[in-house]
Amino acid sequence: MIERLQGITVSGTEALDVLRNATLSQVVQSEIEKIILSGAFQPGEKLNEKTLADRLGVSRGPVREAFQALHARGLVEMIPNRGVFVQEITRHDAVAIYDVRAGLFGTACRLLAERITTNQIGTLKSLVAQMDVAGSQRDLEAYFPLNIAFHTAIVTGTDNSVLADTYFGMVRRLHLYRARGLVHGGGFKSSNIEHRAILDALDARNPHAAFEAGFLHVQAGKVRITTTDDAIASVTS
């Protein structure tokens, strides 16, 4: 079984740990999801079952099962007699996802404000400080993972698996949409000002203020993305 995983980025004791905790199809699903979200395939691009199987060093069966799971997650589209394609997220889809995500993230902030620990506050403060540095240097490569870590810490900190599963499912779908708002129009600075408002509300253990700050932050992100797309369209049209 370990030999069948030779094309996947695990080895030695890591491979044994993976096999203990996941089926082969789950491992393959995770790897294909990473490939899709990395931007290696364009939205609407067809995925070749055999090519992916060869790339991951597995048979086609686990890849087929992975496609079914990724379809349920909204990351791929399965068209009878045509094949499997990377899901295309339109601007309308992205706006709709942002609107629902705003409510979910606001709720996560509210729930966390009721239970947040000193250590959690310290973690969030450190992330915001690091984002200040990355933002001042307009370093998207450094800023982006810190931004994800900030939101992840808040959502997972609620210890609400239903909320987390729904929220992260939406985030995965948004990765398929061209999200460039942070690098235009002062997005770095504006985004981290909003992060500080969330942090202040959490530090004050104020659930109402935390919800409002979290909700408004995601809504502002939606505006940054749609405004950026409008600007690009006006230049390229």
Side-chain angles (χ1 to χ4, degrees):
M1 183 72 74
I2 294 176
E3 292 180 354
R4 295 179 69 194
L5 287 169
Q6 62 185 350
I8 297 177
T9 55
V10 291
S11 59
T13 56
E14 288 182 323
L16 290 174
D17 289 338
V18 168
L19 291 170
R20 290 190 188 103
N21 295 290
T23 67
L24 180 60
S25 61
Q26 289 172 327
V27 176
V28 171
Q29 175 192 326
S30 177
E31 291 301 313
I32 295 176
E33 181 175 313
K34 289 177 186 176
I35 293 170
I36 291 173
L37 296 181
S38 74
F41 297 104
Q42 294 298 311
E45 184 173 347
K46 186 174 183 178
L47 299 176
N48 186 284
E49 188 179 286
K50 184 179 185 304
T51 299
L52 283 170
D54 291 344
R55 176 173 177 173
L56 298 176
V58 299
S59 66
R60 295 170 70 166
V63 174
R64 199 173 300 121
E65 293 176 16
F67 282 164
Q68 293 284 350
L70 294 171
H71 174 66
R73 285 174 174 243
L75 294 181
V76 303
E77 183 178 11
M78 304 180 73
I79 303 177
N81 303 318
R82 288 189 55 197
V84 179
F85 301 81
V86 176
Q87 182 69 59
E88 292 187 78
I89 303 297
T90 66
R91 173 182 169 136
H92 181 270
D93 293 333
V95 168
I97 293 170
Y98 263 104
D99 285 339
V100 178
R101 181 186 168 204
L104 284 173
F105 189 64
T107 298
C109 292
R110 175 179 65 79
L111 292 174
L112 185 59
E114 298 171 352
R115 56 179 291 145
I116 196 163
T117 66
T118 301
N119 285 340
Q120 288 172 316
I121 287 291
T123 297
L124 294 174
K125 285 182 177 179
S126 174
L127 289 169
V128 169
Q130 292 176 71
M131 281 188 281
D132 271 339
V133 174
S136 66
Q137 298 171 350
R138 299 182 66 79
D139 186 349
L140 180 61
E141 191 170 324
Y143 190 97
F144 188 64
L146 294 168
N147 182 56
I148 291 176
F150 179 84
H151 290 83
T152 299
I154 289 174
V155 174
T156 58
T158 66
D159 197 28
N160 187 315
S161 60
V162 175
L163 187 152
D165 288 346
T166 306
Y167 178 85
F168 291 125
M170 290 185 172
V171 169
R172 279 190 292 270
R173 293 193 70 199
L174 281 173
H175 277 311
L176 297 174
Y177 188 74
R178 51 183 187 177
R180 297 162 294 189
L182 282 173
V183 295
H184 294 274
F188 283 117
K189 182 176 180 181
S190 299
S191 182
N192 220 31
I193 288 173
E194 294 153 18
H195 289 154
R196 287 194 177 281
I198 294 169
L199 179 58
D200 289 345
L202 291 173
D203 200 10
R205 276 70 173 179
N206 185 328
H208 177 77
F211 175 88
E212 183 175 13
F215 181 89
L216 292 176
H217 171 54
V218 177
Q219 286 291 308
K222 178 185 72 173
V223 171
R224 279 190 285 272
I225 296 304
T226 55
T227 300
T228 298
D229 279 349
D230 287 341
I232 292 173
S234 68
V235 170
T236 58
S237 60

